Amino acid sequence: MEGNGQEISRRKVLAAAGLAAVAVPLAATGRAQAASLVRRADSAGAPSPQGTHVQFGADAAKQAAVSWLAAAAVSRPRLRLGKAESGYGREVPAEERIYTEALSGQTVFTYHAHLDHLQPDTQYVYEVLNDGAAPVADTFRTGPAGRSRGFRFTSFGDQAVPMKIGAGLGPWTVNAGYIVPAVEALDPLFHLFNGDLCYANVSDDPVSTWTAFFNNDTRSAANRAWMPSAGNHENEVGNGPQGYLSYQTRFALPDNGSPGFGGNWYAFTVGSIRVVSLNNDDVCLQDGGFSGFRRDNVPGYAANGDNPYINGYSSGQQRAWLERELAMASSSGDIDWIIVTMHQVAMSSAHFNGADLGIRESWLPLFDKHGVDLVVAGHEHHFERTFPVRGVLSGSTLLTPAPQSSDPYLMDTSAGTVHMIIGGGGHSTPTPPADFDMPHDGVLITSVGAGSPQSQHPSITTTEPAPWSAYGT
Protein backbone atom coordinates (compact mmCIF):
# COMPACT_ATOMS: atom_id res chain seq x y z
CA MET A 1 0.00 0.00 0.00
CA GLU A 2 1.27 3.45 -0.82
CA GLY A 3 1.30 6.60 1.28
CA ASN A 4 0.72 9.95 -0.37
CA GLY A 5 2.57 13.23 -0.51
CA GLN A 6 -0.31 15.72 -0.59
CA GLU A 7 0.35 19.22 0.71
CA ILE A 8 -2.71 19.94 2.87
CA SER A 9 -4.38 17.84 5.51
CA ARG A 10 -6.91 15.45 4.04
CA ARG A 11 -8.74 15.55 7.38
CA LYS A 12 -9.07 19.34 7.31
CA VAL A 13 -10.65 19.07 3.87
CA LEU A 14 -13.09 16.43 5.12
CA ALA A 15 -13.93 18.43 8.24
CA ALA A 16 -14.68 21.49 6.12
CA ALA A 17 -16.97 19.33 4.01
CA GLY A 18 -18.93 18.26 7.08
CA LEU A 19 -17.80 14.64 7.49
CA ALA A 20 -20.52 12.77 9.39
CA ALA A 21 -19.66 10.36 12.18
CA VAL A 22 -21.65 8.11 14.47
CA ALA A 23 -20.87 8.36 18.18
CA VAL A 24 -22.10 5.49 20.35
CA PRO A 25 -21.19 5.32 24.07
CA LEU A 26 -19.62 2.01 25.12
CA ALA A 27 -19.74 0.38 28.02
CA ALA A 28 0.72 -6.49 34.13
CA THR A 29 3.41 -7.38 34.13
CA GLY A 30 4.71 -10.95 33.89
CA ARG A 31 4.55 -13.60 36.60
CA ALA A 32 6.95 -12.59 39.32
CA GLN A 33 10.33 -14.24 38.95
CA ALA A 34 12.51 -14.97 41.98
CA ALA A 35 15.76 -13.02 41.97
CA SER A 36 18.58 -15.21 40.77
CA LEU A 37 22.17 -15.00 39.66
CA VAL A 38 22.31 -14.87 35.87
CA ARG A 39 25.42 -16.57 34.56
CA ARG A 40 26.96 -14.63 31.71
CA ALA A 41 28.89 -16.17 28.88
CA ASP A 42 32.67 -15.86 28.87
CA SER A 43 33.85 -13.14 26.51
CA ALA A 44 35.65 -15.68 24.37
CA GLY A 45 33.15 -17.64 22.33
CA ALA A 46 30.11 -15.70 23.55
CA PRO A 47 26.87 -16.27 21.61
CA SER A 48 26.29 -14.03 18.62
CA PRO A 49 23.17 -11.92 18.17
CA GLN A 50 20.39 -13.61 16.22
CA GLY A 51 16.90 -12.82 15.03
CA THR A 52 17.58 -9.10 14.59
CA HIS A 53 14.44 -7.02 14.00
CA VAL A 54 13.72 -3.31 13.61
CA GLN A 55 10.75 -1.43 15.02
CA PHE A 56 9.76 2.21 14.65
CA GLY A 57 9.29 4.44 17.66
CA ALA A 58 6.30 6.72 18.17
CA ASP A 59 7.68 9.02 15.44
CA ALA A 60 9.03 6.89 12.60
CA ALA A 61 10.97 9.84 11.18
CA LYS A 62 13.09 10.22 14.33
CA GLN A 63 12.83 7.07 16.46
CA ALA A 64 13.51 3.37 16.04
CA ALA A 65 14.58 0.34 18.06
CA VAL A 66 16.67 -2.63 17.03
CA SER A 67 16.06 -5.86 18.95
CA TRP A 68 17.73 -9.26 18.94
CA LEU A 69 18.08 -12.54 20.82
CA ALA A 70 21.04 -14.36 22.35
CA ALA A 71 21.37 -17.95 23.47
CA ALA A 72 22.70 -16.81 26.87
CA ALA A 73 23.28 -13.61 28.79
CA VAL A 74 26.04 -11.55 27.20
CA SER A 75 28.40 -8.78 28.24
CA ARG A 76 28.12 -5.22 26.89
CA PRO A 77 25.34 -5.69 24.34
CA ARG A 78 25.30 -2.63 22.11
CA LEU A 79 24.58 -1.17 18.69
CA ARG A 80 26.79 0.91 16.44
CA LEU A 81 24.97 3.31 14.17
CA GLY A 82 26.01 5.39 11.20
CA LYS A 83 25.57 6.07 7.52
CA ALA A 84 27.06 4.24 4.58
CA GLU A 85 29.12 7.21 3.48
CA SER A 86 30.61 7.93 6.93
CA GLY A 87 30.61 4.63 8.80
CA TYR A 88 29.63 3.93 12.38
CA GLY A 89 29.84 7.07 14.48
CA ARG A 90 27.51 6.40 17.40
CA GLU A 91 27.34 3.59 19.96
CA VAL A 92 24.15 2.86 21.89
CA PRO A 93 24.01 0.43 24.84
CA ALA A 94 21.24 -2.17 24.65
CA GLU A 95 18.67 -2.87 27.31
CA GLU A 96 18.50 -6.52 28.43
CA ARG A 97 15.07 -8.09 28.97
CA ILE A 98 14.61 -11.64 30.15
CA TYR A 99 11.74 -13.93 31.02
CA THR A 100 11.44 -17.55 32.10
CA GLU A 101 9.22 -19.71 29.91
CA ALA A 102 6.50 -21.19 32.14
CA LEU A 103 6.27 -24.43 30.17
CA SER A 104 9.95 -25.40 30.02
CA GLY A 105 11.66 -23.24 32.63
CA GLN A 106 14.08 -21.86 30.02
CA THR A 107 15.37 -18.33 30.49
CA VAL A 108 15.22 -16.20 27.35
CA PHE A 109 17.59 -13.28 26.79
CA THR A 110 16.64 -10.39 24.52
CA TYR A 111 18.37 -7.08 23.80
CA HIS A 112 16.96 -3.76 22.64
CA ALA A 113 18.80 -0.64 21.46
CA HIS A 114 16.55 2.44 21.46
CA LEU A 115 17.49 5.07 18.88
CA ASP A 116 16.33 8.67 18.86
CA HIS A 117 17.26 12.00 17.28
CA LEU A 118 17.40 10.26 13.90
CA GLN A 119 17.05 12.12 10.63
CA PRO A 120 13.89 11.66 8.53
CA ASP A 121 13.91 9.59 5.35
CA THR A 122 17.49 8.47 5.95
CA GLN A 123 19.21 5.15 5.34
CA TYR A 124 21.20 4.04 8.38
CA VAL A 125 23.77 1.29 8.70
CA TYR A 126 24.13 -0.51 11.99
CA GLU A 127 25.69 -3.49 13.67
CA VAL A 128 24.66 -5.23 16.89
CA LEU A 129 27.28 -6.94 18.98
CA ASN A 130 28.45 -8.05 22.41
CA ASP A 131 31.82 -8.90 23.87
CA GLY A 132 33.34 -12.07 22.45
CA ALA A 133 31.10 -12.40 19.38
CA ALA A 134 31.19 -11.18 15.80
CA PRO A 135 28.87 -8.25 15.05
CA VAL A 136 25.75 -8.64 12.91
CA ALA A 137 25.25 -5.77 10.46
CA ASP A 138 22.30 -4.46 8.46
CA THR A 139 20.50 -1.26 7.43
CA PHE A 140 17.14 0.44 7.89
CA ARG A 141 15.40 3.60 6.69
CA THR A 142 13.50 6.09 8.82
CA GLY A 143 10.11 7.41 7.78
CA PRO A 144 9.66 10.62 5.83
CA ALA A 145 8.84 13.93 7.47
CA GLY A 146 5.13 14.57 7.06
CA ARG A 147 3.96 14.63 3.44
CA SER A 148 7.45 15.02 1.98
CA ARG A 149 7.52 11.63 0.27
CA GLY A 150 5.23 8.74 -0.56
CA PHE A 151 6.03 5.21 0.56
CA ARG A 152 4.80 1.63 0.48
CA PHE A 153 3.94 -0.73 3.34
CA THR A 154 2.92 -4.37 3.38
CA SER A 155 0.68 -6.32 5.73
CA PHE A 156 -0.33 -9.85 6.63
CA GLY A 157 -1.15 -11.99 9.66
CA ASP A 158 -0.95 -15.67 10.61
CA GLN A 159 2.52 -16.73 9.51
CA ALA A 160 3.87 -19.63 11.66
CA VAL A 161 7.35 -21.09 11.05
CA PRO A 162 8.93 -22.79 8.02
CA MET A 163 9.98 -26.05 9.71
CA LYS A 164 8.77 -28.57 12.25
CA ILE A 165 9.65 -27.61 15.81
CA GLY A 166 9.71 -30.20 18.58
CA ALA A 167 6.87 -32.68 18.17
CA GLY A 168 5.31 -30.46 15.49
CA LEU A 169 2.26 -29.51 17.57
CA GLY A 170 2.31 -25.97 16.22
CA PRO A 171 1.59 -25.14 12.58
CA TRP A 172 4.56 -25.08 10.23
CA THR A 173 4.90 -24.77 6.48
CA VAL A 174 7.51 -23.81 3.90
CA ASN A 175 5.13 -21.02 2.89
CA ALA A 176 6.04 -19.24 6.12
CA GLY A 177 9.53 -18.98 4.67
CA TYR A 178 8.54 -18.04 1.14
CA ILE A 179 6.51 -15.02 2.24
CA VAL A 180 9.56 -13.24 3.69
CA PRO A 181 11.35 -12.69 0.34
CA ALA A 182 7.94 -11.81 -1.08
CA VAL A 183 7.84 -8.85 1.31
CA GLU A 184 11.41 -7.94 0.41
CA ALA A 185 10.59 -7.97 -3.30
CA LEU A 186 8.07 -5.18 -2.70
CA ASP A 187 10.66 -3.09 -0.81
CA PRO A 188 8.19 -1.56 1.68
CA LEU A 189 9.18 1.08 4.18
CA PHE A 190 7.58 -1.06 6.90
CA HIS A 191 5.41 -4.12 7.43
CA LEU A 192 2.28 -4.45 9.59
CA PHE A 193 2.01 -7.92 11.12
CA ASN A 194 -1.62 -8.55 12.06
CA GLY A 195 -1.13 -11.07 14.86
CA ASP A 196 -0.58 -14.82 15.25
CA LEU A 197 3.12 -14.57 14.62
CA CYS A 198 4.52 -18.04 15.31
CA TYR A 199 1.88 -19.96 17.32
CA ALA A 200 4.24 -20.62 20.21
CA ASN A 201 1.28 -21.06 22.56
CA VAL A 202 0.40 -24.42 20.97
CA SER A 203 3.99 -25.67 20.63
CA ASP A 204 5.68 -28.17 22.93
CA ASP A 205 8.87 -26.09 22.48
CA PRO A 206 7.77 -22.44 22.46
CA VAL A 207 11.26 -20.95 22.91
CA SER A 208 12.61 -22.76 19.86
CA THR A 209 9.45 -21.78 17.96
CA TRP A 210 10.06 -18.08 18.66
CA THR A 211 13.73 -18.45 17.72
CA ALA A 212 12.84 -20.13 14.42
CA PHE A 213 10.31 -17.38 13.72
CA PHE A 214 12.80 -14.55 14.20
CA ASN A 215 15.60 -16.33 12.37
CA ASN A 216 13.23 -16.72 9.42
CA ASP A 217 11.87 -13.18 9.41
CA THR A 218 15.16 -11.40 10.11
CA ARG A 219 15.88 -11.60 6.37
CA SER A 220 13.40 -8.73 6.09
CA ALA A 221 12.82 -7.50 9.65
CA ALA A 222 16.50 -6.64 10.16
CA ASN A 223 16.35 -3.97 7.44
CA ARG A 224 12.85 -2.54 7.75
CA ALA A 225 10.42 -2.14 10.64
CA TRP A 226 8.06 -5.07 11.22
CA MET A 227 5.33 -3.71 13.50
CA PRO A 228 3.23 -6.42 15.18
CA SER A 229 -0.13 -6.68 16.86
CA ALA A 230 -0.68 -9.43 19.42
CA GLY A 231 -3.05 -12.19 18.30
CA ASN A 232 -4.75 -14.92 20.29
CA HIS A 233 -1.80 -17.26 19.67
CA GLU A 234 0.58 -14.80 21.34
CA ASN A 235 -1.35 -15.60 24.55
CA GLU A 236 1.00 -18.16 26.16
CA VAL A 237 -0.81 -18.90 29.42
CA GLY A 238 1.52 -18.86 32.39
CA ASN A 239 3.83 -16.26 30.86
CA GLY A 240 2.60 -13.24 32.78
CA PRO A 241 -0.93 -12.43 33.98
CA GLN A 242 -2.43 -12.44 30.45
CA GLY A 243 0.10 -14.73 28.75
CA TYR A 244 1.83 -11.97 26.76
CA LEU A 245 5.13 -11.79 28.64
CA SER A 246 7.07 -13.58 25.88
CA TYR A 247 5.66 -11.22 23.23
CA GLN A 248 6.30 -8.17 25.40
CA THR A 249 9.88 -9.24 26.15
CA ARG A 250 10.82 -9.77 22.50
CA PHE A 251 9.60 -6.46 21.04
CA ALA A 252 10.51 -2.82 21.81
CA LEU A 253 7.37 -0.96 20.78
CA PRO A 254 6.14 2.61 21.39
CA ASP A 255 4.96 3.28 24.94
CA ASN A 256 1.22 3.29 25.64
CA GLY A 257 1.41 4.75 29.14
CA SER A 258 -0.21 1.69 30.74
CA PRO A 259 2.15 -0.11 33.16
CA GLY A 260 2.01 -3.87 32.69
CA PHE A 261 0.53 -3.65 29.20
CA GLY A 262 3.57 -2.36 27.30
CA GLY A 263 3.45 -3.40 23.65
CA ASN A 264 -0.05 -4.87 23.87
CA TRP A 265 -1.35 -1.74 22.18
CA TYR A 266 0.56 1.25 20.81
CA ALA A 267 0.59 3.85 18.03
CA PHE A 268 3.14 5.49 15.76
CA THR A 269 3.22 8.15 13.07
CA VAL A 270 4.85 7.57 9.70
CA GLY A 271 4.56 10.36 7.16
CA SER A 272 0.98 11.64 7.41
CA ILE A 273 -0.36 8.27 8.63
CA ARG A 274 -1.16 7.42 12.23
CA VAL A 275 -1.00 3.65 12.77
CA VAL A 276 -2.78 2.17 15.80
CA SER A 277 -2.05 -1.40 16.91
CA LEU A 278 -4.67 -3.11 19.10
CA ASN A 279 -4.97 -6.32 21.10
CA ASN A 280 -8.40 -7.83 20.41
CA ASP A 281 -8.37 -10.52 23.10
CA ASP A 282 -9.29 -7.74 25.53
CA VAL A 283 -12.70 -7.31 23.87
CA CYS A 284 -13.27 -10.50 21.86
CA LEU A 285 -15.89 -13.01 22.98
CA GLN A 286 -14.07 -15.91 21.34
CA ASP A 287 -11.87 -18.07 23.58
CA GLY A 288 -8.94 -18.17 21.16
CA GLY A 289 -5.88 -18.59 23.37
CA PHE A 290 -6.66 -22.00 24.85
CA SER A 291 -3.99 -24.71 24.58
CA GLY A 292 -4.60 -28.20 25.90
CA PHE A 293 -0.87 -28.87 25.84
CA ARG A 294 -0.07 -25.90 28.08
CA ARG A 295 -2.97 -26.77 30.38
CA ASP A 296 -1.54 -30.24 30.87
CA ASN A 297 2.16 -29.33 31.01
CA VAL A 298 2.68 -25.87 32.53
CA PRO A 299 3.80 -26.58 36.13
CA GLY A 300 1.32 -25.24 38.65
CA TYR A 301 -1.26 -24.34 35.98
CA ALA A 302 -4.29 -24.86 38.25
CA ALA A 303 -2.60 -23.80 41.49
CA ASN A 304 -1.46 -20.49 39.96
CA GLY A 305 -4.93 -19.72 38.63
CA ASP A 306 -3.71 -19.61 35.04
CA ASN A 307 -6.54 -18.81 32.63
CA PRO A 308 -6.16 -18.26 28.88
CA TYR A 309 -9.62 -16.65 28.56
CA ILE A 310 -8.83 -12.97 29.17
CA ASN A 311 -11.83 -11.05 27.83
CA GLY A 312 -11.89 -7.66 29.59
CA TYR A 313 -8.37 -7.99 30.99
CA SER A 314 -7.49 -4.27 30.75
CA SER A 315 -10.67 -3.18 32.59
CA GLY A 316 -11.31 -0.59 29.89
CA GLN A 317 -7.80 0.90 29.80
CA GLN A 318 -7.22 -0.08 26.16
CA ARG A 319 -10.53 1.36 25.00
CA ALA A 320 -9.93 4.64 26.85
CA TRP A 321 -6.45 4.86 25.31
CA LEU A 322 -7.88 4.08 21.86
CA GLU A 323 -10.46 6.84 22.11
CA ARG A 324 -7.78 9.37 23.10
CA GLU A 325 -5.48 8.25 20.29
CA LEU A 326 -8.18 8.39 17.62
CA ALA A 327 -9.43 11.77 18.83
CA MET A 328 -5.92 13.24 18.63
CA ALA A 329 -5.24 11.74 15.21
CA SER A 330 -8.56 12.81 13.71
CA SER A 331 -8.13 16.40 14.88
CA SER A 332 -4.48 16.72 13.84
CA GLY A 333 -3.66 18.83 10.82
CA ASP A 334 -0.63 16.63 10.22
CA ILE A 335 -2.52 13.34 9.88
CA ASP A 336 -4.29 12.39 6.65
CA TRP A 337 -4.95 8.70 7.27
CA ILE A 338 -5.69 6.56 10.32
CA ILE A 339 -4.87 2.87 10.00
CA VAL A 340 -5.65 0.21 12.61
CA THR A 341 -3.82 -3.12 12.74
CA MET A 342 -5.35 -5.87 14.86
CA HIS A 343 -5.81 -9.63 14.73
CA GLN A 344 -9.43 -10.78 15.05
CA VAL A 345 -12.00 -9.37 12.65
CA ALA A 346 -15.21 -7.37 12.74
CA MET A 347 -16.57 -8.96 9.54
CA SER A 348 -16.02 -12.29 7.81
CA SER A 349 -17.92 -14.32 5.26
CA ALA A 350 -16.23 -17.64 6.15
CA HIS A 351 -17.39 -20.43 8.45
CA PHE A 352 -13.87 -20.63 9.88
CA ASN A 353 -13.55 -18.56 13.08
CA GLY A 354 -16.08 -15.89 12.22
CA ALA A 355 -16.17 -12.22 13.09
CA ASP A 356 -16.54 -11.21 16.75
CA LEU A 357 -19.43 -9.23 18.21
CA GLY A 358 -17.17 -7.93 20.97
CA ILE A 359 -15.15 -5.90 18.46
CA ARG A 360 -18.32 -4.41 17.01
CA GLU A 361 -19.61 -3.42 20.43
CA SER A 362 -16.38 -1.94 21.78
CA TRP A 363 -14.41 -0.50 18.89
CA LEU A 364 -16.41 0.03 15.69
CA PRO A 365 -18.32 3.00 17.12
CA LEU A 366 -14.97 4.65 17.85
CA PHE A 367 -13.74 3.88 14.34
CA ASP A 368 -16.88 5.54 12.98
CA LYS A 369 -16.72 8.54 15.29
CA HIS A 370 -13.11 9.39 14.52
CA GLY A 371 -12.96 8.42 10.86
CA VAL A 372 -10.61 5.44 10.80
CA ASP A 373 -9.71 4.87 7.15
CA LEU A 374 -8.38 1.32 7.04
CA VAL A 375 -8.33 -1.73 9.30
CA VAL A 376 -5.96 -4.59 8.50
CA ALA A 377 -6.53 -7.86 10.36
CA GLY A 378 -5.83 -11.58 10.17
CA HIS A 379 -7.32 -14.55 12.10
CA GLU A 380 -9.30 -15.80 9.11
CA HIS A 381 -6.81 -17.48 6.77
CA HIS A 382 -7.96 -15.86 3.54
CA PHE A 383 -8.22 -12.43 1.95
CA GLU A 384 -11.39 -10.37 2.10
CA ARG A 385 -12.08 -6.67 1.66
CA THR A 386 -15.13 -4.70 2.66
CA PHE A 387 -16.81 -1.70 1.16
CA PRO A 388 -16.42 1.41 3.30
CA VAL A 389 -18.68 0.83 6.33
CA ARG A 390 -20.15 3.21 8.87
CA GLY A 391 -22.94 2.67 11.37
CA VAL A 392 -25.13 -0.45 11.34
CA LEU A 393 -27.82 -1.85 9.09
CA SER A 394 -31.25 -0.56 10.07
CA GLY A 395 -32.86 -2.83 12.65
CA SER A 396 -29.80 -5.08 13.03
CA THR A 397 -29.50 -6.70 16.46
CA LEU A 398 -26.07 -8.02 15.45
CA LEU A 399 -24.63 -4.54 14.80
CA THR A 400 -24.02 -5.55 11.19
CA PRO A 401 -21.88 -2.78 9.65
CA ALA A 402 -23.62 -0.75 6.97
CA PRO A 403 -21.84 -0.37 3.61
CA GLN A 404 -21.60 3.19 2.29
CA SER A 405 -20.96 2.23 -1.33
CA SER A 406 -21.34 -0.71 -3.68
CA ASP A 407 -18.49 -0.09 -6.13
CA PRO A 408 -15.77 -2.74 -5.55
CA TYR A 409 -13.27 -0.69 -7.55
CA LEU A 410 -13.57 2.43 -5.38
CA MET A 411 -12.39 2.66 -1.78
CA ASP A 412 -13.52 6.09 -0.60
CA THR A 413 -12.66 6.12 3.08
CA SER A 414 -14.22 9.52 3.57
CA ALA A 415 -17.49 7.56 3.48
CA GLY A 416 -16.45 4.89 6.00
CA THR A 417 -13.79 2.44 7.12
CA VAL A 418 -12.45 -0.23 4.78
CA HIS A 419 -11.56 -3.51 6.50
CA MET A 420 -9.10 -5.97 5.00
CA ILE A 421 -8.69 -9.54 6.25
CA ILE A 422 -5.13 -10.54 5.34
CA GLY A 423 -4.69 -13.80 7.23
CA GLY A 424 -2.77 -15.64 4.55
CA GLY A 425 0.72 -14.95 5.87
CA GLY A 426 1.95 -18.50 5.42
CA HIS A 427 -0.09 -20.57 7.88
CA SER A 428 -0.33 -24.22 6.85
CA THR A 429 -4.16 -24.27 7.06
CA PRO A 430 -5.87 -21.78 4.73
CA THR A 431 -9.58 -21.11 4.98
CA PRO A 432 -11.09 -23.99 2.94
CA PRO A 433 -13.26 -23.02 -0.05
CA ALA A 434 -16.04 -25.12 1.50
CA ASP A 435 -16.20 -22.63 4.37
CA PHE A 436 -17.70 -20.03 2.05
CA ASP A 437 -21.42 -20.51 1.46
CA MET A 438 -23.74 -19.33 -1.26
CA PRO A 439 -25.66 -17.13 -1.07
CA HIS A 440 -23.00 -15.03 0.55
CA ASP A 441 -23.44 -14.92 4.36
CA GLY A 442 -21.51 -13.19 7.07
CA VAL A 443 -20.51 -15.32 10.06
CA LEU A 444 -20.48 -13.83 13.55
CA ILE A 445 -19.51 -15.08 17.00
CA THR A 446 -22.31 -13.80 19.24
CA SER A 447 -21.35 -15.49 22.52
CA VAL A 448 -19.46 -18.44 23.98
CA GLY A 449 -20.64 -21.55 25.76
CA ALA A 450 -19.57 -22.90 29.12
CA GLY A 451 -15.85 -23.25 29.68
CA SER A 452 -13.09 -22.86 32.23
CA PRO A 453 -9.30 -22.64 32.46
CA GLN A 454 -9.34 -26.41 31.87
CA SER A 455 -11.91 -26.43 29.05
CA GLN A 456 -12.15 -24.07 26.07
CA HIS A 457 -15.33 -22.03 25.73
CA PRO A 458 -17.00 -23.05 22.44
CA SER A 459 -17.96 -20.24 20.07
CA ILE A 460 -21.65 -19.70 19.39
CA THR A 461 -22.11 -18.31 15.90
CA THR A 462 -24.85 -17.11 13.63
CA THR A 463 -25.09 -15.92 10.05
CA GLU A 464 -26.07 -12.48 8.82
CA PRO A 465 -26.44 -10.58 5.57
CA ALA A 466 -23.07 -9.54 4.14
CA PRO A 467 -23.70 -6.48 1.96
CA TRP A 468 -20.45 -5.10 3.34
CA SER A 469 -18.32 -7.70 1.51
CA ALA A 470 -16.66 -6.26 -1.60
CA TYR A 471 -14.22 -9.00 -2.50
CA GLY A 472 -12.91 -12.26 -1.11
CA THR A 473 -10.69 -15.11 -2.16
Side-chain angles (χ1 to χ4, degrees):
M1 301 178 184
E2 304 277 356
N4 70 50
Q6 62 193 51
E7 296 301 319
I8 61 171
S9 167
R10 168 182 173 272
R11 295 193 169 273
K12 284 187 175 180
V13 172
L14 294 177
L19 174 63
V22 178
V24 180
L26 306 171
T29 57
R31 173 181 293 171
Q33 302 293 333
S36 61
L37 178 65
V38 174
R39 185 176 300 278
R40 297 193 176 271
D42 294 335
S43 290
S48 295
Q50 57 181 313
T52 313
H53 50 287
V54 177
Q55 301 114 108
F56 283 143
D59 182 349
K62 299 177 182 178
Q63 300 167 324
V66 179
S67 303
W68 64 95
L69 318 172
V74 300
S75 296
R76 293 208 311 136
R78 57 202 186 273
L79 178 145
R80 292 174 179 157
L81 183 70
K83 299 176 184 177
E85 63 273 18
S86 55
Y88 305 118
R90 176 179 170 191
E91 186 166 288
V92 180
E95 167 200 9
E96 180 183 76
R97 296 187 198 167
I98 65 175
Y99 81 99
T100 300
E101 168 53 53
L103 178 67
S104 64
Q106 294 168 271
T107 300
V108 174
F109 300 89
T110 71
Y111 298 92
H112 309 273
H114 299 270
L115 310 174
D116 55 15
H117 305 295
L118 302 175
Q119 296 176 5
D121 196 17
T122 299
Q123 189 81 9
Y124 284 93
V125 297
Y126 72 88
E127 61 179 18
V128 297
L129 68 159
N130 52 262
D131 286 354
V136 175
D138 222 303
T139 68
F140 71 89
R141 177 173 288 278
T142 52
R147 305 177 183 91
S148 60
R149 184 177 68 85
F151 54 85
R152 176 184 294 118
F153 70 92
T154 54
S155 181
F156 63 66
D158 305 78
Q159 184 182 15
V161 292
M163 75 288 286
K164 178 180 176 180
I165 301 294
L169 302 182
W172 64 277
T173 168
V174 294
N175 293 328
Y178 295 151
I179 200 164
V180 180
V183 170
E184 283 301 276
L186 293 170
D187 191 28
L189 177 63
F190 64 97
H191 177 73
L192 294 182
F193 201 139
N194 311 323
D196 280 7
L197 282 61
C198 65
Y199 297 84
N201 80 323
V202 293
S203 173
D204 62 303
D205 190 351
V207 172
S208 294
T209 300
W210 274 109
T211 300
F213 167 79
F214 280 115
N215 285 341
N216 177 41
D217 285 0
T218 193
R219 295 174 291 164
S220 176
N223 57 70
R224 64 193 75 248
W226 279 46
M227 304 298 290
S229 56
N232 52 296
H233 285 289
E234 276 66 71
N235 174 356
E236 299 172 73
V237 67
N239 289 341
Q242 296 85 37
Y244 293 120
L245 183 57
S246 175
Y247 171 86
Q248 292 171 309
T249 302
R250 295 169 188 275
F251 290 97
L253 299 165
D255 182 43
N256 60 25
S258 299
F261 300 133
N264 286 18
W265 56 85
Y266 63 91
F268 66 99
T269 297
V270 54
S272 62
I273 294 176
R274 188 66 170 171
V275 179
V276 178
S277 176
L278 299 177
N279 176 223
N280 307 63
D281 273 1
D282 191 18
V283 300
C284 280
L285 304 177
Q286 185 184 25
D287 183 359
F290 185 83
S291 164
F293 187 86
R294 291 188 77 88
R295 175 199 60 198
D296 296 339
N297 292 279
V298 169
Y301 181 95
N304 291 324
D306 290 334
N307 188 351
Y309 189 57
I310 56 174
N311 173 270
Y313 77 81
S314 81
S315 300
Q317 288 188 59
Q318 183 175 195
R319 185 198 170 278
W321 174 90
L322 173 62
E323 183 152 36
R324 292 193 300 270
E325 272 295 328
L326 294 182
M328 287 189 293
S330 63
S331 63
S332 172
D334 297 324
I335 299 299
D336 295 320
W337 308 93
I338 302 175
I339 297 175
V340 169
T341 174
M342 62 187 194
H343 182 60
Q344 291 96 322
V345 299
M347 287 159 280
S348 175
S349 61
H351 293 260
F352 190 69
N353 287 296
D356 201 290
L357 183 60
I359 298 173
R360 293 182 180 183
E361 292 173 333
S362 296
W363 290 348
L364 291 199
L366 296 181
F367 295 176
D368 288 348
K369 177 180 179 180
H370 297 291
V372 170
D373 294 285
L374 176 66
V375 174
V376 290
H379 200 51
E380 305 285 75
H381 298 173
H382 63 274
F383 174 81
E384 187 164 10
R385 172 169 61 82
T386 75
F387 295 114
V389 296
R390 180 171 291 145
V392 301
L393 292 180
S394 178
S396 173
T397 60
L398 301 176
L399 304 181
T400 304
Q404 300 302 307
S405 73
S406 58
D407 184 351
Y409 300 102
L410 176 66
M411 291 185 287
D412 180 4
T413 63
S414 68
T417 305
V418 171
H419 293 244
M420 288 186 178
I421 299 171
I422 318 173
H427 191 288
S428 56
T429 306
T431 305
D435 284 2
F436 297 93
D437 55 15
M438 296 299 290
H440 204 37
D441 286 329
V443 180
L444 181 69
I445 299 168
T446 59
S447 61
V448 293
S452 71
Q454 285 73 41
S455 176
Q456 186 172 24
H457 299 73
S459 295
I460 298 172
T461 64
T462 190
T463 58
E464 64 177 357
W468 39 258
S469 184
Y471 179 80
T473 183

